[in-house]
Amino acid sequence: MGNRIISVSHITKEIVLGNSKNKIKLIDDISFEINKGEFLSIVGPSGSGKSTLLNIISGLSIPTTGTVNLESQDIYKLSPTKLARLRREKIGFIFQQYNLLSALPVFENMTLQLRLSHQKIDKDQIEQLLKHINFEPKSTARIESLSGGEKQKVAIARVLATDCDIIFADEPTGALDSVSREKVFSMLRELTQLGKTVIMVTHDIEMASRTDRAVIIRDGKIQNSLSNPTETLILHEMGGDM
Ligand SMILES: Nc1ncnc2c1ncn2[C@@H]1O[C@H](COP(=O)(O)OP(=O)(O)OP(=O)(O)O)[C@@H](O)[C@H]1O
């Protein structure tokens, strides 16, 4: 493949609990690279550090040591304003907890990032996206009135509406039924075919087996990185832990 877009080098993340002597290492010397257009999955047992790793790579959480380069820019050397702009313009994030503004309607949630970065808002495209993802309520519905699966669909459609280069997704299909899960997976796959890069944390081994590469995390370290992963190989690496 080649054409590297993200380079993670020797990152660690420590947190201090209570007094300063009580440190926990959540991420322990992780290095890897991601190519443009790659569909990468991050799998591993619960509590192994997957979300922590995703937050560090996407510019949300500064590592204790190590660097994250995005298109050769060391993102944590940027000023907070520049980092915020880079995230707004290049990065889309589908959060595990959706991160939607509950008092606002669906449409406003989907267009907020576009407004902030002064991008054109195409109402028909937004409606099309919601339809394509089998979202049944109206775009005028308030977020607080939606089910978990519907909120997840809005969070996904919101990212698809922005023209970002890299999409980070933390359990993007966790709350979805099997038909919607398939739809979301194929949409993410289509995006990589258009040259966008997708990095997805998932517990869904079957879905991870259909990505280009599965990185298996255990105790904050990379246990293995499987190109052309299969369910059997991933399960073997995880040793039955989910
Ligand atoms: N701010 C924090 N303070 C204390 N512990 C934390 C903090 N953030 C994460 N942890 C702990 O660090 C470990 C890794 O958390 P993380 O959410 O990254 O794991 P994960 O692999 O994504 O888990 P899951 O699959 O259950 O979502 C967990 O044991 C978690 O409880």
Side-chain angles (χ1 to χ4, degrees):
M1 262 202 237
N3 213 354
R4 181 180 316 151
I5 190 162
I6 297 173
S7 181
V8 176
S9 182
H10 298 293
I11 55 166
T12 62
K13 180 80 177 183
E14 286 180 353
I15 53 160
V16 179
L17 288 183
N19 65 49
S20 57
K21 285 191 191 118
N22 203 355
K23 280 187 190 160
I24 302 180
K25 215 172 228 183
L26 304 182
I27 298 293
D28 187 2
D29 195 18
I30 284 188
S31 300
F32 67 111
E33 281 160 2
I34 304 167
N35 292 318
K36 185 171 184 300
E38 191 171 15
F39 193 165
L40 184 100
S41 52
I42 299 177
V43 292
S46 200
S48 56
K50 304 180 296 294
S51 298
T52 307
L53 177 63
L54 201 71
N55 289 342
I56 294 174
I57 316 174
S58 59
L60 281 175
S61 168
I62 188 165
T64 309
T65 59
T67 55
V68 178
N69 280 19
L70 205 156
E71 287 174 341
S72 310
Q73 269 196 104
D74 183 342
I75 60 170
Y76 291 108
K77 285 226 172 85
L78 297 172
S79 68
T81 321
K82 284 200 172 134
L83 177 57
R85 189 190 307 149
L86 177 118
R87 295 197 66 249
R88 210 165 50 223
E89 289 172 359
K90 297 217 175 232
I91 293 177
F93 207 121
I94 304 166
F95 293 90
Q96 209 170 4
Q97 299 304 328
Y98 321 125
N99 276 35
L100 301 166
L101 298 169
S102 56
L104 290 182
V106 169
F107 186 82
E108 305 307 325
N109 267 276
M110 286 187 62
T111 50
L112 193 61
Q113 188 169 351
L114 295 172
R115 281 189 213 287
L116 287 173
S117 52
H118 308 290
Q119 290 180 54
K120 200 173 129 261
I121 292 167
D122 181 340
K123 191 166 189 313
D124 289 343
Q125 186 218 4
I126 304 276
E127 296 292 345
Q128 259 328 101
L129 272 171
L130 288 169
K131 197 168 156 211
H132 194 57
I133 209 165
N134 293 344
F135 181 79
E136 282 167 10
K138 292 203 163 13
S139 63
T140 49
R142 284 183 187 278
I143 298 294
E144 58 201 1
S145 70
L146 305 178
S147 71
E150 287 163 350
K151 285 179 191 163
Q152 193 155 42
K153 286 182 184 176
V154 176
I156 293 162
R158 174 177 61 175
V159 164
L160 299 175
T162 62
D163 189 25
C164 52
D165 295 334
I166 309 169
I167 295 166
F168 291 94
D170 199 349
E171 290 284 352
T173 58
L176 301 182
D177 59 86
S178 58
V179 174
S180 306
R181 165 186 171 274
E182 236 1 86
K183 198 131 205 172
V184 168
F185 185 86
S186 15
M187 288 173 94
L188 292 174
R189 172 51 88 193
E190 275 165 31
L191 291 175
T192 62
Q193 282 154 357
L194 294 172
K196 294 178 193 284
T197 308
V198 177
I199 299 139
M200 169 181 75
V201 164
T202 184
H203 278 110
D204 188 331
I205 304 298
E206 192 277 325
M207 213 163 70
S209 74
R210 289 191 277 148
T211 61
D212 300 324
R213 185 157 52 118
V215 171
I216 291 109
I217 306 290
R218 180 182 289 274
D219 298 330
K221 294 187 173 67
I222 292 187
Q223 160 141 339
N224 208 340
S225 174
L226 302 169
S227 299
N228 305 314
T230 63
E231 279 185 75
T232 315
L233 281 174
I234 300 173
L235 282 170
H236 174 74
E237 285 299 330
M238 291 184 50
D241 285 330
M242 297 290 281

